[in-house]
Every structure is written in structure tokens, then in C-alpha cells.
Amino acid sequence: MIAQVMRIGFQRLWHGRLEMLLVFIVPVVFFSIFALIFDRREEVGSGEVATALVDLDQTPLSRAVFARLASDPLLRVSTAAPPTEPAEWEDLTASCQEVLSGRAKLAIVAPAGWADSLMRSDPLTLTIAADTSDPVAPRVVEALVHQAVGRTIAELQIPASPAAGSSPEAVASPFGAPVRVLDLLAEGKSNPVVSQFAAGIAVMFLLFTASGNAGSLLEEEETQTLERLMCSRLSMSKLLLGKWLFLASIGFLQVLVMFGWAQLMFGVDVLGRLPGFLLMTAVTAGAAASLALAMAAACRSRAQLNAVSTILILTMSAVGGSMVPRYVMSESMQQFGRATFNAWAIDGYNKLFWRNLPATQLGPELAVMAVSAVALLVIARVLAMRWETA
């Protein structure tokens, strides 16, 4: 019986040409428009920047510079733990785990011997290891670092050499302390920004598709088809489970088409992250299907469902990061956005395609989406009891 419900759903979709267009073509068009616009990395505002301080120098100058940076209101600073073995701190990448794991947007690294090198003609470089998903933060912090170094050197009256910098990309401050920005995450990616917009757009249209198809419950109620189904051997639980499987399957295929397009046209490495991508897409599609069924069970008509779902989905998409990247939002708004599917799903996809983290790091996102799917499906079942008692 469950398979029969699924077959009817697919037949309904196949004969609805406009619905096919909305499910598979419109999301890709919208995604392409957003990708082409924002791939140019337009300048946007940036809030308080989560920054890790990695002091490998451990001199009075480096400690004074980092203390000045830590007091800056534009930075939310975390300080790396003191080294236990000097060898552990020689690898810059290992010193920037806060950035690679997503706990900080930037890590400011003072190399060992940095303060002493300022009196030579080839001073060592202060490095800002950056997550450039927020393109503004590295520029802001680079200016703050130049300012902090210059003022601290002047206060301590250190006779620094006015060198040009120890590497081509390093920019020297007026006091001879070169600073460079190292992009930790974009290197090696053919199109590093597009994957973020693919995730945001895919989740938003996934919610619209699920809510639209869940409206078939209300249509069946209006045509008394639901009443006849309840008189058969089909129970309400089996009906909802069949609907849920259908909605989740369509959502899964929709996201698959979206990211397939992203791989073909924009170079997003979907095949290279396939296990994690399939897991994330499966739980996201399941949660969206459960939300759609809960909304349909709570509404009294198709028109009411359309209005409620449109408002709810647009709101979730706005605060959850589907329409506007969350890094341009305030810290409180970013935390508020984590109450939405969009934020958790986007964070999961970003871990895969932006941070190159393995699927084993998706635990929080998979757990939240899976629990949401089960909880909302239970809510839908409880609300659907009104059709059994009618």
C-alpha cells in the first residue's frame, strides 16, 4: 500500500508539467543567478570577528600586540593553549585548527623569533590565516594588526628596520613589520564561493517543493478521497508514511539535480564528497518532508497552506542564510538563525564543500535534522487524527 501511495504521487508529478518546471528548473535558474552575482565577492558588512591568537614568539612585544588586539571591540578573541612541545608549533596549518574547524574566522600567527627579526633587514611575517567565506573580515583585521603593531612598537620604543617585507604578498607596516593574509580554505577549489550559495538555494526550494506536494492531503480531504481511503485497509499512519517517503524522495532528487548542475557548471566537487553529501541530503530532505506534512495537517485548506508555508519558508530562508550569507548578520541574528533547517543544512554542506571536512564531522548537523524529521512527523500524525475522527 505504501508503494501504491508513492506511485500515485509520482504519476501526479509526471502529469503536472508546471510542477515539474518548478521542481527541477526554477531552482537551478535561481541558483545560477545568485551564483553569477555573488561569485564576484561583493563587499558586504561584517560583524564581530571570531579570531584566534597564536603566539609562537612569546616575547614582550608579541604579548603586548596580542593584548592590544584582544581588547579591540571588533574582535572576539580566543587564545591558543600554550605549547607543550616546541615542535608542535612549527607547522602553520596545525596552528590554525581553530579556523579549519570553523570555530574562528581568522588566526593571527606570530612566528617564533618575530620580535627579534624586526631589527634585521629581512623581518619575519605576521600571518593572518583566514576563512575567506567572509571576504571583508581579513581586510578589517589586517588593518587592525598593522595599527596594533605600529602603536605597540612606538610605545615600547623598539628600533625596528623599515623593511619591505619577507614575502611578495606581505605588506609592511610603517614600522617595518610585514603582514600577510593566507587563505586557508579557498586554495585548490575551482569556485570556492558557489558551493555556499548552492546549499542555501537548494534548501529553500526543497522546503517549497515539499510544502507544495504535501497540499495533496488537503485536496484529498476536499474531494472526499481521504475519507474513502480511511475506509480501506490503509491507515492514517501508513498514508502519512507513504506521503513522507514520496516527499523525501522528490526532495532528495531535487537537491541531487541542483548539486549536479553545480558540479558541471561551477566546479563544485560533489563526487569528491559523495558519502557526506548523500547523508546530508537524505536527512535534510526527510526533515523538510516532515515539516511540510505537519503544516498540511495543521491547515484547513490548500489556500491556507500556501500562505502559511510561503511566509514560514521565506522567513526561515532569510534568517537561516539561504538568501543572505549569515556572516553579514549580527551575532545574535546568526544564533537565532540556527533555529531553522536552513542554517543547519547550510552549515553541513559548508563543512563538506568549503572546509573539506570528512563526513564524520557532520554529527551535529545530521543529528539535528534527523531528530527534527522524527519529531515533526510525530506532530503531523497527531494533527492528522482530526481526519480519523471526522
Side-chain angles (χ1 to χ4, degrees), residues 337-390:
R338 292 180 70 82
T340 68
F341 289 165
N342 306 61
W344 285 98
I346 292 170
D347 284 350
Y349 287 120
N350 282 345
K351 280 186 175 181
L352 293 172
F353 299 116
W354 179 253
R355 303 187 184 284
N356 291 334
L357 295 177
T360 54
Q361 297 293 315
L362 295 175
E365 289 77 16
L366 293 176
V368 168
M369 300 301 278
V371 170
S372 300
V374 173
L376 287 167
L377 192 57
V378 171
I379 291 173
R381 179 64 186 90
V382 172
L383 293 173
M385 290 175 67
R386 66 184 175 91
W387 287 315
E388 295 175 300
T389 57

Short mmCIF file of all heavy atoms in Angstrom, two decimals, residues 337-390:
data_model
loop_
_atom_site.label_atom_id
_atom_site.label_comp_id
_atom_site.label_asym_id
_atom_site.label_seq_id
_atom_site.Cartn_x
_atom_site.Cartn_y
_atom_site.Cartn_z
N GLY A 337 19.26 32.31 13.77
CA GLY A 337 19.11 31.54 12.53
C GLY A 337 19.33 30.05 12.71
O GLY A 337 18.85 29.24 11.91
N ARG A 338 20.04 29.67 13.76
CA ARG A 338 20.28 28.24 13.98
C ARG A 338 19.02 27.50 14.44
O ARG A 338 19.06 26.28 14.64
CB ARG A 338 21.40 28.07 15.02
CG ARG A 338 22.75 28.52 14.49
CD ARG A 338 23.86 28.34 15.51
NE ARG A 338 24.17 26.94 15.73
CZ ARG A 338 24.96 26.22 14.95
NH1 ARG A 338 25.51 26.78 13.89
NH2 ARG A 338 25.21 24.96 15.21
N ALA A 339 17.93 28.22 14.62
CA ALA A 339 16.65 27.57 14.92
C ALA A 339 15.97 27.08 13.64
O ALA A 339 14.87 26.52 13.71
CB ALA A 339 15.73 28.53 15.67
N THR A 340 16.57 27.30 12.49
CA THR A 340 15.96 26.93 11.21
C THR A 340 16.69 25.74 10.58
O THR A 340 17.87 25.51 10.84
CB THR A 340 15.99 28.11 10.23
OG1 THR A 340 17.35 28.37 9.87
CG2 THR A 340 15.40 29.36 10.85
N PHE A 341 15.95 25.01 9.72
CA PHE A 341 16.57 23.95 8.94
C PHE A 341 17.70 24.49 8.08
O PHE A 341 18.74 23.87 7.92
CB PHE A 341 15.55 23.31 7.99
CG PHE A 341 14.52 22.48 8.67
CD1 PHE A 341 13.38 22.10 8.00
CD2 PHE A 341 14.68 22.06 9.97
CE1 PHE A 341 12.43 21.32 8.61
CE2 PHE A 341 13.74 21.29 10.60
CZ PHE A 341 12.60 20.92 9.91
N ASN A 342 17.42 25.67 7.51
CA ASN A 342 18.34 26.22 6.53
C ASN A 342 19.75 26.35 7.10
O ASN A 342 20.74 25.97 6.46
CB ASN A 342 17.85 27.59 6.06
CG ASN A 342 16.43 27.56 5.56
OD1 ASN A 342 15.52 27.22 6.30
ND2 ASN A 342 16.24 27.87 4.29
N ALA A 343 19.85 26.89 8.31
CA ALA A 343 21.16 27.14 8.89
C ALA A 343 21.92 25.83 9.13
O ALA A 343 23.11 25.72 8.81
CB ALA A 343 21.01 27.91 10.21
N TRP A 344 21.23 24.82 9.67
CA TRP A 344 21.91 23.56 9.95
C TRP A 344 22.32 22.85 8.67
O TRP A 344 23.41 22.28 8.56
CB TRP A 344 21.00 22.66 10.79
CG TRP A 344 20.92 23.11 12.22
CD1 TRP A 344 19.93 23.87 12.78
CD2 TRP A 344 21.87 22.87 13.26
NE1 TRP A 344 20.22 24.11 14.10
CE2 TRP A 344 21.39 23.51 14.43
CE3 TRP A 344 23.09 22.19 13.31
CZ2 TRP A 344 22.08 23.47 15.63
CZ3 TRP A 344 23.77 22.14 14.52
CH2 TRP A 344 23.28 22.77 15.67
N ALA A 345 21.42 22.88 7.67
CA ALA A 345 21.74 22.22 6.41
C ALA A 345 22.90 22.93 5.70
O ALA A 345 23.83 22.28 5.20
CB ALA A 345 20.50 22.20 5.51
N ILE A 346 22.85 24.26 5.68
CA ILE A 346 23.92 25.02 5.03
C ILE A 346 25.24 24.79 5.74
O ILE A 346 26.29 24.63 5.09
CB ILE A 346 23.55 26.51 4.98
CG1 ILE A 346 22.37 26.73 4.03
CG2 ILE A 346 24.73 27.36 4.54
CD1 ILE A 346 21.78 28.11 4.09
N ASP A 347 25.21 24.77 7.08
CA ASP A 347 26.45 24.51 7.82
C ASP A 347 27.02 23.13 7.47
O ASP A 347 28.24 22.96 7.35
CB ASP A 347 26.18 24.58 9.33
CG ASP A 347 26.03 26.01 9.82
OD1 ASP A 347 26.32 26.93 9.03
OD2 ASP A 347 25.61 26.20 10.98
N GLY A 348 26.13 22.15 7.31
CA GLY A 348 26.59 20.82 6.94
C GLY A 348 27.23 20.78 5.57
O GLY A 348 28.33 20.22 5.38
N TYR A 349 26.57 21.39 4.60
CA TYR A 349 27.14 21.42 3.25
C TYR A 349 28.44 22.24 3.21
O TYR A 349 29.38 21.91 2.48
CB TYR A 349 26.13 22.00 2.25
CG TYR A 349 24.99 21.05 1.92
CD1 TYR A 349 23.67 21.40 2.19
CD2 TYR A 349 25.23 19.81 1.37
CE1 TYR A 349 22.62 20.54 1.91
CE2 TYR A 349 24.20 18.94 1.07
CZ TYR A 349 22.89 19.31 1.35
OH TYR A 349 21.87 18.45 1.06
N ASN A 350 28.49 23.32 3.99
CA ASN A 350 29.73 24.12 4.04
C ASN A 350 30.89 23.32 4.61
O ASN A 350 32.04 23.48 4.18
CB ASN A 350 29.51 25.38 4.87
CG ASN A 350 28.76 26.45 4.11
OD1 ASN A 350 28.65 26.38 2.88
ND2 ASN A 350 28.25 27.43 4.80
N LYS A 351 30.60 22.49 5.60
CA LYS A 351 31.67 21.64 6.14
C LYS A 351 32.26 20.75 5.05
O LYS A 351 33.47 20.51 5.00
CB LYS A 351 31.13 20.77 7.28
CG LYS A 351 31.00 21.49 8.62
CD LYS A 351 30.59 20.52 9.70
CE LYS A 351 30.56 21.19 11.07
NZ LYS A 351 30.18 20.24 12.14
N LEU A 352 31.38 20.26 4.17
CA LEU A 352 31.85 19.34 3.12
C LEU A 352 32.60 20.08 2.01
O LEU A 352 33.72 19.73 1.65
CB LEU A 352 30.66 18.60 2.52
CG LEU A 352 29.93 17.61 3.43
CD1 LEU A 352 28.67 17.12 2.77
CD2 LEU A 352 30.84 16.44 3.78
N PHE A 353 31.94 21.11 1.46
CA PHE A 353 32.45 21.71 0.22
C PHE A 353 33.35 22.91 0.46
O PHE A 353 34.11 23.28 -0.43
CB PHE A 353 31.27 22.11 -0.67
CG PHE A 353 30.42 20.94 -1.07
CD1 PHE A 353 29.10 20.85 -0.67
CD2 PHE A 353 30.95 19.90 -1.82
CE1 PHE A 353 28.32 19.77 -1.03
CE2 PHE A 353 30.18 18.81 -2.18
CZ PHE A 353 28.86 18.74 -1.78
N TRP A 354 33.24 23.56 1.62
CA TRP A 354 34.09 24.73 1.87
C TRP A 354 35.27 24.38 2.77
O TRP A 354 36.41 24.72 2.50
CB TRP A 354 33.26 25.86 2.49
CG TRP A 354 34.07 27.09 2.80
CD1 TRP A 354 34.44 27.52 4.04
CD2 TRP A 354 34.62 28.01 1.88
NE1 TRP A 354 35.19 28.67 3.95
CE2 TRP A 354 35.32 28.99 2.63
CE3 TRP A 354 34.61 28.13 0.49
CZ2 TRP A 354 35.99 30.06 2.03
CZ3 TRP A 354 35.27 29.19 -0.10
CH2 TRP A 354 35.94 30.14 0.66
N ARG A 355 34.99 23.64 3.85
CA ARG A 355 36.06 23.32 4.80
C ARG A 355 36.74 21.99 4.52
O ARG A 355 37.70 21.63 5.20
CB ARG A 355 35.51 23.33 6.23
CG ARG A 355 34.88 24.62 6.62
CD ARG A 355 34.49 24.68 8.08
NE ARG A 355 33.81 25.93 8.37
CZ ARG A 355 34.43 27.10 8.48
NH1 ARG A 355 35.74 27.14 8.38
NH2 ARG A 355 33.76 28.20 8.70
N ASN A 356 36.21 21.23 3.57
CA ASN A 356 36.79 19.93 3.21
C ASN A 356 36.87 18.98 4.39
O ASN A 356 37.79 18.16 4.48
CB ASN A 356 38.20 20.12 2.61
CG ASN A 356 38.15 20.78 1.25
OD1 ASN A 356 37.15 20.69 0.54
ND2 ASN A 356 39.21 21.47 0.89
N LEU A 357 35.91 19.07 5.30
CA LEU A 357 35.90 18.17 6.45
C LEU A 357 35.28 16.83 6.05
O LEU A 357 34.42 16.77 5.17
CB LEU A 357 35.10 18.79 7.60
CG LEU A 357 35.69 20.07 8.21
CD1 LEU A 357 34.77 20.62 9.29
CD2 LEU A 357 37.08 19.81 8.78
N PRO A 358 35.68 15.74 6.68
CA PRO A 358 35.10 14.43 6.34
C PRO A 358 33.66 14.31 6.84
O PRO A 358 33.21 15.09 7.69
CB PRO A 358 36.03 13.45 7.06
CG PRO A 358 36.59 14.24 8.21
CD PRO A 358 36.73 15.64 7.72
N ALA A 359 32.97 13.29 6.36
CA ALA A 359 31.56 13.08 6.75
C ALA A 359 31.41 12.82 8.24
O ALA A 359 30.34 13.07 8.81
CB ALA A 359 30.98 11.92 5.94
N THR A 360 32.47 12.33 8.88
CA THR A 360 32.39 12.07 10.32
C THR A 360 32.24 13.35 11.14
O THR A 360 31.88 13.28 12.31
CB THR A 360 33.66 11.32 10.78
OG1 THR A 360 34.81 12.08 10.37
CG2 THR A 360 33.72 9.93 10.16
N GLN A 361 32.52 14.50 10.53
CA GLN A 361 32.38 15.77 11.24
C GLN A 361 30.97 16.35 11.14
O GLN A 361 30.70 17.44 11.64
CB GLN A 361 33.39 16.79 10.68
CG GLN A 361 34.83 16.39 10.87
CD GLN A 361 35.24 16.39 12.32
OE1 GLN A 361 34.93 17.30 13.06
NE2 GLN A 361 35.91 15.33 12.75
N LEU A 362 30.07 15.62 10.47
CA LEU A 362 28.71 16.13 10.27
C LEU A 362 27.76 15.73 11.39
O LEU A 362 26.55 15.93 11.27
CB LEU A 362 28.14 15.62 8.94
CG LEU A 362 28.83 16.10 7.66
CD1 LEU A 362 28.24 15.40 6.45
CD2 LEU A 362 28.68 17.61 7.52
N GLY A 363 28.28 15.18 12.47
CA GLY A 363 27.43 14.65 13.54
C GLY A 363 26.37 15.62 14.04
O GLY A 363 25.18 15.26 14.07
N PRO A 364 26.72 16.84 14.46
CA PRO A 364 25.68 17.76 14.98
C PRO A 364 24.59 18.06 13.95
O PRO A 364 23.40 18.06 14.28
CB PRO A 364 26.48 19.02 15.33
CG PRO A 364 27.87 18.55 15.54
CD PRO A 364 28.08 17.41 14.58
N GLU A 365 25.00 18.32 12.71
CA GLU A 365 24.01 18.67 11.68
C GLU A 365 23.09 17.48 11.37
O GLU A 365 21.87 17.63 11.26
CB GLU A 365 24.72 19.13 10.40
CG GLU A 365 25.39 20.49 10.49
CD GLU A 365 26.71 20.44 11.25
OE1 GLU A 365 27.24 19.32 11.45
OE2 GLU A 365 27.21 21.51 11.65
N LEU A 366 23.67 16.29 11.24
CA LEU A 366 22.86 15.10 10.95
C LEU A 366 21.91 14.81 12.11
O LEU A 366 20.73 14.46 11.89
CB LEU A 366 23.77 13.89 10.70
CG LEU A 366 24.65 13.95 9.44
CD1 LEU A 366 25.58 12.74 9.39
CD2 LEU A 366 23.79 14.01 8.19
N ALA A 367 22.39 14.97 13.33
CA ALA A 367 21.55 14.67 14.50
C ALA A 367 20.37 15.63 14.59
O ALA A 367 19.22 15.21 14.80
CB ALA A 367 22.39 14.74 15.77
N VAL A 368 20.63 16.93 14.40
CA VAL A 368 19.55 17.93 14.49
C VAL A 368 18.50 17.69 13.42
O VAL A 368 17.29 17.71 13.69
CB VAL A 368 20.14 19.35 14.38
CG1 VAL A 368 19.03 20.38 14.16
CG2 VAL A 368 20.93 19.70 15.62
N MET A 369 18.94 17.43 12.20
CA MET A 369 17.99 17.23 11.11
C MET A 369 17.21 15.93 11.29
O MET A 369 15.99 15.88 11.03
CB MET A 369 18.72 17.22 9.76
CG MET A 369 19.48 18.51 9.46
SD MET A 369 18.45 19.98 9.43
CE MET A 369 17.78 19.87 7.79
N ALA A 370 17.87 14.88 11.75
CA ALA A 370 17.18 13.60 11.94
C ALA A 370 16.15 13.69 13.06
O ALA A 370 15.00 13.21 12.92
CB ALA A 370 18.20 12.50 12.23
N VAL A 371 16.53 14.32 14.18
CA VAL A 371 15.58 14.48 15.29
C VAL A 371 14.41 15.36 14.86
O VAL A 371 13.24 15.08 15.21
CB VAL A 371 16.31 15.09 16.52
CG1 VAL A 371 15.32 15.50 17.59
CG2 VAL A 371 17.30 14.08 17.09
N SER A 372 14.69 16.41 14.11
CA SER A 372 13.62 17.28 13.61
C SER A 372 12.66 16.51 12.72
O SER A 372 11.43 16.68 12.80
CB SER A 372 14.20 18.47 12.84
OG SER A 372 15.03 19.24 13.66
N ALA A 373 13.20 15.65 11.87
CA ALA A 373 12.36 14.86 10.96
C ALA A 373 11.42 13.96 11.75
O ALA A 373 10.21 13.89 11.46
CB ALA A 373 13.24 14.04 10.02
N VAL A 374 11.94 13.29 12.75
CA VAL A 374 11.11 12.37 13.54
C VAL A 374 10.07 13.15 14.35
O VAL A 374 8.87 12.80 14.38
CB VAL A 374 12.00 11.52 14.48
CG1 VAL A 374 11.13 10.69 15.42
CG2 VAL A 374 12.91 10.62 13.66
N ALA A 375 10.50 14.23 15.00
CA ALA A 375 9.59 15.00 15.86
C ALA A 375 8.45 15.61 15.05
O ALA A 375 7.28 15.54 15.45
CB ALA A 375 10.37 16.09 16.59
N LEU A 376 8.77 16.19 13.90
CA LEU A 376 7.73 16.81 13.08
C LEU A 376 6.79 15.77 12.47
O LEU A 376 5.59 16.04 12.29
CB LEU A 376 8.37 17.66 11.99
CG LEU A 376 9.01 18.97 12.49
CD1 LEU A 376 9.88 19.59 11.41
CD2 LEU A 376 7.92 19.95 12.92
N LEU A 377 7.31 14.60 12.15
CA LEU A 377 6.44 13.55 11.63
C LEU A 377 5.46 13.07 12.70
O LEU A 377 4.29 12.80 12.41
CB LEU A 377 7.28 12.38 11.12
CG LEU A 377 6.55 11.32 10.29
CD1 LEU A 377 5.85 11.96 9.08
CD2 LEU A 377 7.49 10.21 9.84
N VAL A 378 5.92 13.00 13.93
CA VAL A 378 5.02 12.64 15.04
C VAL A 378 3.96 13.72 15.22
O VAL A 378 2.76 13.42 15.42
CB VAL A 378 5.83 12.45 16.34
CG1 VAL A 378 4.90 12.31 17.54
CG2 VAL A 378 6.73 11.22 16.22
N ILE A 379 4.37 15.00 15.13
CA ILE A 379 3.40 16.10 15.24
C ILE A 379 2.35 16.02 14.13
O ILE A 379 1.14 16.20 14.36
CB ILE A 379 4.14 17.45 15.21
CG1 ILE A 379 4.96 17.62 16.49
CG2 ILE A 379 3.16 18.60 15.05
CD1 ILE A 379 5.87 18.83 16.48
N ALA A 380 2.83 15.72 12.92
CA ALA A 380 1.89 15.58 11.79
C ALA A 380 0.90 14.45 12.04
O ALA A 380 -0.30 14.57 11.74
CB ALA A 380 2.67 15.33 10.50
N ARG A 381 1.39 13.35 12.60
CA ARG A 381 0.49 12.21 12.88
C ARG A 381 -0.58 12.59 13.91
O ARG A 381 -1.75 12.23 13.78
CB ARG A 381 1.31 11.01 13.37
CG ARG A 381 0.46 9.80 13.71
CD ARG A 381 -0.23 9.27 12.48
NE ARG A 381 -1.16 8.19 12.78
CZ ARG A 381 -2.46 8.35 13.09
NH1 ARG A 381 -2.96 9.60 13.14
NH2 ARG A 381 -3.23 7.34 13.34
N VAL A 382 -0.16 13.32 14.95
CA VAL A 382 -1.12 13.74 15.98
C VAL A 382 -2.16 14.69 15.39
O VAL A 382 -3.37 14.55 15.65
CB VAL A 382 -0.36 14.41 17.15
CG1 VAL A 382 -1.34 15.02 18.14
CG2 VAL A 382 0.54 13.39 17.85
N LEU A 383 -1.71 15.66 14.59
CA LEU A 383 -2.65 16.61 13.98
C LEU A 383 -3.59 15.93 12.99
O LEU A 383 -4.74 16.34 12.83
CB LEU A 383 -1.86 17.71 13.26
CG LEU A 383 -1.06 18.66 14.16
CD1 LEU A 383 -0.19 19.59 13.32
CD2 LEU A 383 -2.00 19.48 15.05
N ALA A 384 -3.12 14.87 12.36
CA ALA A 384 -3.95 14.16 11.37
C ALA A 384 -5.05 13.33 12.00
O ALA A 384 -5.91 12.81 11.28
CB ALA A 384 -3.05 13.26 10.51
N MET A 385 -5.06 13.23 13.30
CA MET A 385 -6.13 12.47 13.98
C MET A 385 -7.49 13.10 13.73
O MET A 385 -8.53 12.42 13.81
CB MET A 385 -5.85 12.39 15.48
CG MET A 385 -4.65 11.50 15.83
SD MET A 385 -4.25 11.53 17.59
CE MET A 385 -5.71 10.74 18.27
N ARG A 386 -7.52 14.39 13.40
CA ARG A 386 -8.81 15.04 13.13
C ARG A 386 -9.50 14.43 11.93
O ARG A 386 -10.73 14.43 11.83
CB ARG A 386 -8.62 16.54 12.94
CG ARG A 386 -7.82 16.94 11.69
CD ARG A 386 -7.61 18.45 11.67
NE ARG A 386 -6.76 18.88 10.57
CZ ARG A 386 -7.21 19.24 9.36
NH1 ARG A 386 -8.51 19.21 9.12
NH2 ARG A 386 -6.36 19.62 8.43
N TRP A 387 -8.72 13.92 10.96
CA TRP A 387 -9.33 13.28 9.79
C TRP A 387 -9.90 11.90 10.13
O TRP A 387 -10.81 11.43 9.49
CB TRP A 387 -8.29 13.15 8.67
CG TRP A 387 -7.96 14.47 8.04
CD1 TRP A 387 -8.83 15.44 7.65
CD2 TRP A 387 -6.67 14.97 7.72
NE1 TRP A 387 -8.17 16.51 7.12
CE2 TRP A 387 -6.82 16.26 7.13
CE3 TRP A 387 -5.38 14.49 7.85
CZ2 TRP A 387 -5.78 17.03 6.68
CZ3 TRP A 387 -4.32 15.26 7.40
CH2 TRP A 387 -4.52 16.52 6.83
N GLU A 388 -9.35 11.26 11.14
CA GLU A 388 -9.86 9.94 11.54
C GLU A 388 -11.14 10.05 12.34
O GLU A 388 -11.98 9.16 12.31
CB GLU A 388 -8.79 9.21 12.37
CG GLU A 388 -7.53 8.88 11.59
CD GLU A 388 -6.46 8.28 12.46
OE1 GLU A 388 -6.04 8.93 13.42
OE2 GLU A 388 -6.05 7.13 12.19
N THR A 389 -11.27 11.15 13.11
CA THR A 389 -12.44 11.30 13.97
C THR A 389 -13.56 12.07 13.30
O THR A 389 -14.63 12.23 13.87
CB THR A 389 -12.04 12.03 15.26
OG1 THR A 389 -11.46 13.28 14.92
CG2 THR A 389 -11.05 11.20 16.06
N ALA A 390 -13.29 12.61 12.09
CA ALA A 390 -14.32 13.42 11.41
C ALA A 390 -15.48 12.54 10.93
O ALA A 390 -15.30 11.39 10.56
CB ALA A 390 -13.69 14.13 10.23
#
